Amino acid sequence: MTMNLLRQIAGSRLPLTYYRTEDIDQVRILCAAGLVVAVVPSPSQSASGSRSAAQVLAITQKGREELAKLHGAGSRAPRWRFRMPRIKTAGWQQASRPGADSRKSAPMQ
């Protein structure tokens, strides 16, 4: 059950907040195992009945390794999180058209 939550966290945008007591307990277990970095209320605070939440900030390298063991190397977290944004500049457009400059200098016949 806890590993299912880790899989769910891996497929979501972070930070991720959980409010249910069961989910908070599972996040606490993942955090204690070193699989995630999270802000978790103390057990006495969540047992007192006050409204509390656990916030998952990141999955550790150990957590990613455990996910890879469970699901094999083929299934990984979404790659959108690891991509750098592509910024297109004026120089990029000219570089992408290799014959753009040669047409300007060649005389028309």
Side-chain angles (χ1 to χ4, degrees):
M1 189 80 166
T2 305
M3 294 310 285
N4 289 337
L5 183 66
L6 182 62
R7 188 179 320 122
Q8 178 188 358
I9 293 167
S12 302
R13 286 191 95 137
L14 298 176
L16 197 59
T17 305
Y18 291 97
Y19 297 98
R20 291 183 16 203
T21 307
E22 300 85 22
D23 293 335
I24 293 171
D25 291 339
Q26 289 181 14
V27 170
R28 188 177 289 119
I29 291 168
L30 291 172
C31 192
L35 303 179
V36 297
V37 176
V39 178
V40 185
S42 66
S44 62
Q45 191 178 22
S46 59
S48 67
S50 64
R51 183 86 172 150
S52 58
Q55 189 172 37
V56 179
L57 305 175
I59 299 177
T60 63
Q61 182 63 35
K62 183 178 177 183
R64 297 222 179 267
E65 290 169 1
E66 288 298 318
L67 282 170
K69 285 180 194 175
L70 287 176
H71 306 293
S75 80
R76 297 189 340 206
R79 301 266 325 169
W80 58 263
R81 209 176 311 157
F82 304 112
R83 270 191 232 139
M84 295 296 293
R86 294 184 182 171
I87 300 173
K88 297 179 182 177
T89 62
W92 177 81
Q93 290 174 343
Q94 288 180 358
S96 66
R97 298 183 307 180
D101 293 330
S102 63
R103 281 186 269 154
K104 290 179 186 177
S105 61
M108 298 208 38
Q109 305 256 353

